[in-house]
Amino acid sequence: MCYDVWVNSMALEEPPHFVFRRQSILKLSVEMSTQYDKIVAPHNEMRKLPGEVLETYNMQQAVAPYIKGANVLDLACGSGHYSRLLLSWGASQVCGVDISRGMIEAAKAAALSDKVRFVVADCSIPTKFDGGPFDIVFGGWFLNYAPSGAVLANMFRNIATNLNEGGRFFGVTAYPTQDPRRFHETVLEKKPLFWDRILVEPMMDVEDGISTRVTADIEPEKVQFDNYHLTKAVYEKAARDGGMDGQLLWKPTTFPAGDSQIFAGREKVEEELAIYMRMPHFVVLVVEKGQS
């Protein structure tokens, strides 16, 4: 069972070669917590955008074969959107974790079952959470907050720490590419389907990719926050370095047939879909933890 407490993020003693730039990680954690404490309500409105509906559909399809009766850990759960959905899709219990106290308070307020619990903690630092090990670890827009391959590997290490052998991680993250800057420059030029309400601007070059600034055009006010887009090779290496040594799969985006909610107001749907499939705004990443 997950208790509503502040989890000691230093609960697992890291080997010397895993200890890296602790002050930088702490600074990143503070920045992430602060930016999300301020945008709880507008962030919830983003979930109503057609592109977000498509994302949710794809994630439900991905977890469907494994979710029934599963014990699930939801990292970077935000206000509990996916935590509640995972429970409704068949999970036996869900533990949601987020670094933002504001998001966790919103998640608790919206919880309708005692089978879902929420914890405030830094998901980028390996920590054994109460109620584990888990059958599934979920991360909706979690890995894209890693500013480097080293931090990304630690995120995967946290995932592996909390998974049963043979368990799976399901994540929503940015499209896998070896040239994130060129990818986003092309998106800004083509403005494909579902990118019209969410602007992602390539910002600074970082060690393993780029930083990005996301602006969502929603009511009553625009939402803006920063994250990172690291290269495909860095993602795959970080998963292995973090102990996720089973099958790794980047799942292609699929569309529900005839969904008017997603395609409402669109005229050249087929043409737009062809462009979108070359530059989708998300991808579902599935990684298995191998059995020893």
Side-chain angles (χ1 to χ4, degrees):
M1 181 178 183
C2 292
Y3 298 99
D4 300 329
V5 297
W6 174 268
V7 175
N8 180 4
S9 61
M10 297 298 291
L12 294 183
E13 183 178 354
E14 295 172 321
H17 60 288
F18 288 164
V19 179
F20 55 87
R21 291 178 288 187
R22 180 66 62 190
Q23 290 183 332
S24 296
I25 299 302
L26 179 59
K27 181 175 182 290
L28 172 67
S29 300
V30 171
E31 290 173 349
M32 287 172 59
S33 177
T34 300
Q35 72 173 346
Y36 278 96
D37 283 343
K38 296 177 180 178
I39 62 169
V40 174
H43 188 265
N44 287 340
E45 286 299 308
M46 286 180 62
R47 289 296 176 187
K48 301 176 183 178
L49 297 178
E52 301 293 306
V53 175
L54 178 63
E55 173 197 311
T56 300
Y57 168 79
N58 275 262
M59 184 52 69
Q60 183 177 14
Q61 297 301 303
V63 303
Y66 313 100
I67 192 66
K68 187 174 181 179
N71 183 19
V72 181
L73 176 65
D74 183 6
L75 296 177
C77 68
S79 58
H81 170 75
Y82 274 115
S83 299
R84 295 186 296 274
L85 283 177
L86 289 161
L87 196 63
S88 71
W89 293 341
S92 61
Q93 58 182 359
V94 179
C95 177
V97 184
D98 201 276
I99 196 170
S100 166
R101 287 186 178 276
M103 286 289 182
I104 289 296
E105 289 305 314
K108 290 178 181 178
L112 300 176
S113 170
D114 60 4
K115 294 180 180 179
V116 58
R117 295 289 184 269
F118 296 99
V119 174
V120 178
D122 185 344
C123 298
S124 69
I125 298 176
T127 306
K128 282 188 176 180
F129 293 102
D130 291 331
F134 298 86
D135 304 308
I136 291 174
V137 174
F138 180 87
W141 297 111
F142 164 47
L143 301 177
N144 55 303
Y145 287 97
S148 68
V151 177
L152 187 59
N154 234 31
M155 289 178 171
F156 276 111
R157 197 165 290 117
N158 194 21
I159 292 164
T161 293
N162 286 283
L163 263 180
N164 281 314
E165 290 187 358
R168 289 171 174 81
F169 166 74
F170 294 87
V172 182
T173 193
Y175 183 76
T177 174
Q178 285 303 106
D179 191 348
R181 181 171 293 280
R182 179 56 186 157
F183 174 82
H184 288 289
E185 288 173 347
T186 303
V187 167
L188 290 173
E189 176 187 347
K190 300 291 185 181
K191 295 182 175 62
L193 184 70
F194 304 131
W195 286 91
D196 52 351
R197 301 281 301 277
I198 299 179
L199 174 68
V200 182
E201 300 173 275
M203 305 297 283
M204 299 184 344
D205 290 328
V206 296
E207 181 180 356
D208 297 311
I210 62 171
S211 63
T212 59
R213 176 153 296 164
V214 180
T215 304
D217 184 14
I218 59 174
E219 298 295 338
E221 58 182 331
K222 291 184 178 181
V223 176
Q224 190 173 83
F225 48 92
D226 299 326
N227 51 38
Y228 299 88
H229 193 162
L230 306 185
T231 68
K232 179 176 182 283
V234 167
Y235 264 83
E236 294 176 352
K237 182 178 185 300
R240 302 316 186 198
D241 290 346
M244 296 294 289
D245 53 359
Q247 183 184 37
L248 185 152
L249 177 64
W250 300 95
K251 293 183 70 65
T253 300
T254 59
F255 292 83
D259 193 311
S260 59
Q261 182 181 11
I262 291 179
F263 300 115
R266 299 287 180 175
E267 296 179 357
K268 301 178 180 179
V269 173
E270 290 187 7
E271 180 180 327
E272 287 194 282
L273 281 180
I275 297 173
Y276 175 82
M277 292 305 290
R278 297 197 296 271
M279 53 192 79
H281 70 290
F282 74 94
V283 69
V284 175
L285 174 62
V286 184
V287 193
E288 185 177 351
K289 180 179 178 180
Q291 300 184 20
S292 57

